């Protein structure tokens, strides 16, 4: 399932380093999706036996200088909520890899189909809305390497939900309802919007005392789902597999997405 999120980032370093300060990257990420009672999600490790857990693994190849990016996600055994899928940005084209149909859907130029990755573009595919720097720490990731990180916390509100809520709040404010009833209605509307928000906590990697725009760990939480992404392998400036982008694309039949 794909969630389309607008991409605006408020970190100062974006204007200085629009891309990560590396030539190449190879990354492996373990993705854990917990589903269940919100009360249990607050401490997912302690309540793991009370939650449904689905695990998948992502592999990412990045040629920063040539603006090429490949992500392949495969479900672990028992994960039946996703199928193998991928994203490929190569030679100025944006492809969604459909392993079921063996199609590479070319969505270049189609609204909502452009690939914004965290590594080659000036506008990564995550947001620090009015993000709060929570803490500066050192963490040990899944590859057992300790690295510096800055922890940021923020929320994402669907723009449509936000607009509808704001319109409703303004309508209530301008109505002839008693003030006490207005406050009750407004708080209820804002509370409903808050429940729909996606909450994020990200550990952003700090290398050579500069933020890289790359997460080492990320929590994404909705009402009844918590998804955790954690780096399990990270190679920087190591030569990539020869022709990995072209060879991957050659295994699919290219189909154009109609805009």
């Amino acid at each position: 399932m794909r969630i389309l999120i607008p991409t605006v980032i408020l970190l100062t370093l974006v204007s200085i380093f629009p891309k990560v300060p590396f030539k190449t990257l190879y990354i492996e990420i373990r993705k854990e999706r917990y589903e269940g009672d919100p009360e249990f999600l607050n401490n997912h490790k302690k309540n793991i036996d009370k939650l449904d857990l689905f695990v998948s693994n992502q592999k990412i190849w990045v040629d920063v200088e040539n603006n090429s990016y490949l992500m392949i996600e495969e479900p672990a055994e028992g994960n039946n909520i996703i199928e193998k899928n991928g994203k490929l940005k190569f030679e100025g084209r944006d492809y969604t890899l459909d392993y079921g149909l063996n199609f590479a859907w070319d969505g270049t130029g189609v609204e909502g189909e452009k690939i914004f990755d965290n590594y080659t573009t000036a506008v990564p595919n995550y947001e620090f809305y009015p993000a709060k720097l929570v803490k500066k720490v050192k963490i040990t990731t899944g590859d057992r390497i300790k690295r510096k990180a800055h922890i940021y916390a923020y929320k994402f509100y669907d723009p449509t939900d936000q607009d509808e809520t704001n319109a409703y709040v303004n309508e209530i404010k301008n109505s002839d309802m008693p003030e006490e009833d207005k406050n009750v209605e407004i708080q209820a509307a804002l509370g409903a919007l808050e429940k729909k928000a996606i909450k994020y906590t990200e550990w952003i990697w700090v290398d050579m005392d500069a933020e890289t725009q790359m997460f080492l760990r990320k929590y994404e939480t909705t009402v009844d789902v918590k998804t955790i992404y954690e780096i399990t392998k990270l190679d920087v400036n190591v030569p990539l597999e020869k022709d990995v982008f072209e060879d991957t694309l050659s295994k699919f039949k290219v189909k154009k997405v109609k805009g």
Side-chain angles (χ1 to χ4, degrees):
M1 181 176 67
R2 182 181 58 191
I3 298 177
L4 299 179
I5 298 178
T7 52
V8 177
I9 191 164
L10 302 180
L11 292 179
T12 305
L13 285 175
V14 170
S15 59
I16 305 172
F17 300 113
K19 301 179 182 181
V20 294
F22 309 111
K23 293 183 178 179
T24 62
L25 294 160
Y26 174 70
I27 306 159
E28 293 182 5
I29 296 171
R30 177 180 169 89
K31 179 180 173 183
E32 300 177 352
R33 179 185 171 100
Y34 297 85
E35 297 183 0
D37 191 313
E39 182 181 344
F40 298 142
L41 286 176
N42 288 334
N43 193 335
H44 62 278
K45 290 183 178 179
K46 182 179 178 181
N47 297 307
I48 192 169
D49 59 324
K50 301 180 181 72
L51 298 166
D52 293 323
L53 172 61
F54 303 91
V55 178
S56 54
N57 298 290
Q58 296 179 345
K59 294 181 179 180
I60 299 173
W61 295 260
V62 190
D63 182 341
V64 179
E65 293 185 322
N66 292 308
N67 202 44
S68 297
Y69 165 86
L70 170 63
M71 185 283 290
I72 298 174
E73 180 172 349
E74 293 187 86
E77 186 176 352
N79 184 347
N80 58 8
I81 65 170
I82 70 161
E83 297 178 351
K84 185 177 180 179
N85 64 88
K87 293 284 186 181
L88 173 61
K89 182 161 61 176
F90 180 60
E91 294 186 343
R93 314 298 296 180
D94 297 298
Y95 303 95
T96 296
L97 305 181
D98 187 329
Y99 281 83
L101 296 174
N102 201 42
F103 288 161
W105 294 100
D106 183 352
T108 309
V110 178
E111 185 177 358
E113 297 293 329
K114 184 173 178 61
I115 298 172
F116 292 102
D117 63 277
N118 294 353
Y119 315 101
T120 68
T121 52
V123 186
N125 66 355
Y126 62 87
E127 292 194 24
F128 286 97
Y129 272 81
K132 177 183 178 183
L133 176 58
V134 178
K135 200 172 183 181
K136 297 180 179 181
V137 297
K138 286 188 177 180
I139 66 166
T140 301
T141 50
D143 55 4
R144 298 182 181 179
I145 296 177
K146 182 173 284 189
R147 299 181 178 92
K148 290 183 181 179
H150 291 172
I151 304 177
Y152 284 90
Y154 60 104
K155 297 176 183 178
F156 169 74
Y157 298 89
D158 182 271
T160 301
D161 289 338
Q162 205 164 20
D163 289 344
E164 289 177 353
T165 300
N166 290 338
Y168 180 71
V169 167
N170 288 331
E171 182 181 335
I172 295 298
K173 285 181 178 179
N174 296 324
S175 72
D176 57 2
M177 292 173 61
E179 285 300 318
E180 186 176 343
D181 292 343
K182 283 184 180 182
N183 290 334
V184 171
E185 285 292 322
I186 290 171
Q187 290 307 313
L190 294 177
L193 177 64
E194 185 69 19
K195 286 183 178 180
K196 294 179 180 179
I198 305 174
K199 299 176 183 177
Y200 290 93
T201 304
E202 296 199 37
W203 287 253
I204 300 298
W205 183 25
V206 178
D207 183 57
M208 301 295 288
D209 294 323
E211 289 182 344
T212 64
Q213 303 181 39
M214 293 171 54
F215 72 79
L216 297 172
R217 182 183 296 150
K218 176 168 69 172
Y219 288 4
E220 177 183 296
T221 308
T222 62
V223 174
D224 55 4
V225 176
K226 185 172 203 171
T227 306
I228 296 173
Y229 304 80
E230 176 149 10
I231 296 285
T232 57
K233 186 173 183 178
L234 176 57
D235 292 336
V236 299
N237 294 328
V238 175
L240 299 175
E241 302 169 34
K242 182 174 169 46
D243 301 325
V244 62
F245 306 104
E246 189 172 12
D247 286 350
T248 299
L249 183 60
S250 70
K251 297 173 183 176
F252 294 85
K253 183 175 183 178
V254 175
K255 289 280 189 178
K256 182 69 177 174
V257 175
K258 296 181 180 179

